[in-house]
Amino acid sequence: MPSSSSHKSPRVLFVTPEVFPLCKTGGLGDVSAALPGALRELKTDVRLLVPGYPSVLSGIKHKRKLAECNLLPYFPPATLFSSRLQVNESVSVPLYVIHCPELYQRPGGIYLDEDGKDWPDNAQRFGLLSKMGALLASDASPLAWVPDIVHCNDWQSGLTPAYLHFHSGKKAASLMALHNLAFQGKFPSDQVAKLGLPAESFSVEGVEYYGNLSFLKAGIYYADHISTVSPGYAREIQHEPLGFGLQGLLAKRSDDITGIINGIDTAVWNPATDPYIVKKYSSRTFLSAKKVNKLVLQREMGLEENGTIPLFAGISRLSYQKGYDILLQAASALTNFPAQLVLLGKGDPSLEEQLILLAQTDPARIAVRIDYDEALSHRITAGADCFLMPSRFEPCGLNQMYSQHYGTPPVVHATGGLMDTVVDLTPETLARKSASGFHFHEMTTSAFMEAIGRAVNAYCDAGLWKKLQRSGMQKDFSWQASASAYQSIYSLLM
Ligand code: ADP
Ligand code: GLC
């Protein structure tokens, strides 16, 4: 196993259940491609470990078999393959893929079956990912390349730090990155033994969480360091309600928690080069170009083609977190303004149904697409005037950064990463040229509507709106700063 003296810069294994464009359900997929890409540009030897879902196996080229692994009697035999993930024109990241057909080769989603229910064997599916992460990060690894740090992401890799803790040989230090505490990977206690964890780990001082096994608690408890995807969220999770029951443990580990804001992948999200939009633009040419993109979007979505009416938009997983229940209530009032609304989302069936009904009330002004559509999400970000993000909580959030980068000022609930990345329009922030959107504080329809009203008023003042657009577009949301902050944690852990 390499020590810090054998090579200067740390080797990092990045264990993740999703990575764009091979498999993605939300922002974690984006981050898992862009952050390792940025780290490699900074000369950190980071490599990815992902499960071999069908889209991963069909999406990778030149895969090479590395090892056959029988990790535990509970896991079917698995084969480890290597390949590379091209994250932009000049950078690719080495990729390890776990091929285990019994656990990963099936139709449906990454976490959910075709009826939207959790796969019943998720403990096994992500237990295998966690266990493989721990194996590759220890002196028992079948590979010559052994990391100094294992960078785990969310509950799906939460058992990796626990397995490493109980491994008696040499092992990597662990970082547990928290992207969303609402998902914790809780399973019945009989999984503890099946997953090969010692009985003593099933305690308050360990993996136990109110009588169940919690993958996420395991990660938080045993990791050497913890990160969250914004400084605001790092503070929020140490209290109720956003600690989701883990606030006590997180507060105890307060000194080991670092909040680092995500960046955006400007190779994928760049209005000057975006292949999905009709008229490309920059912070100098955005005014006329955005209008072209807006008219094209209005036509595509069946809205009245009108260059002057403010066009609001939202793109989201449809879940309680994202506050679309509040958005639904606000939407009926929104059309009291001269305004249009376009929404793209998929998820909670009851929200999907309500959104479809909403669009039927005023099809010339409200358009809804129930789908997961990467290309359309780019066209909406470029064509809309203003982006809505009423999330109840938001660990970081990417769409508010994409929209600012595309000259589409956002209206956001003042929480977590939204608070950290959007500057509310006030006379002071306007004078400082930092204003880039609108905050609302109370999670109520009326507070949200008040912020939307402020946005409509600002939109009617063309000079003011242009200032907001420009300051959002000129902000640096690139990954460089965040990637170096992760490098500092890695150095600390070495
Ligand atoms: P979360 O990870 O909580 O869903 P983020 O804002 O971090 O939230 O990231 C969401 C990512 O998923 C963004 O890249 C967003 O564009 C994308 N996304 C969400 N829903 C859809 C959809 N229905 N169609 C296309 N992209 C979507
Ligand atoms: C989670 C969070 C989101 C964050 C993303 C990537 O899915 O909900 O706020 O941007 O992870 O870190």
Side-chain angles (χ1 to χ4, degrees), residues 32 59 110-111 141 148 172 194 280 340 351 362 379 461 472 485:
S32 299
I110 299 179
Y111 312 122
S141 174
D148 304 288
K194 289 181 182 165
K280 320 226 183 294
Q340 292 180 335
L351 281 171
D362 196 346
R379 291 196 292 277
D461 178 340

Side-chain angles (χ1 to χ4, degrees), residues 368-382:
V368 166
R369 184 74 61 84
I370 302 298
D371 197 2
Y372 186 92
D373 187 333
E374 199 77 41
L376 179 58
S377 75
H378 285 244
R379 291 196 292 277
I380 292 177
T381 308

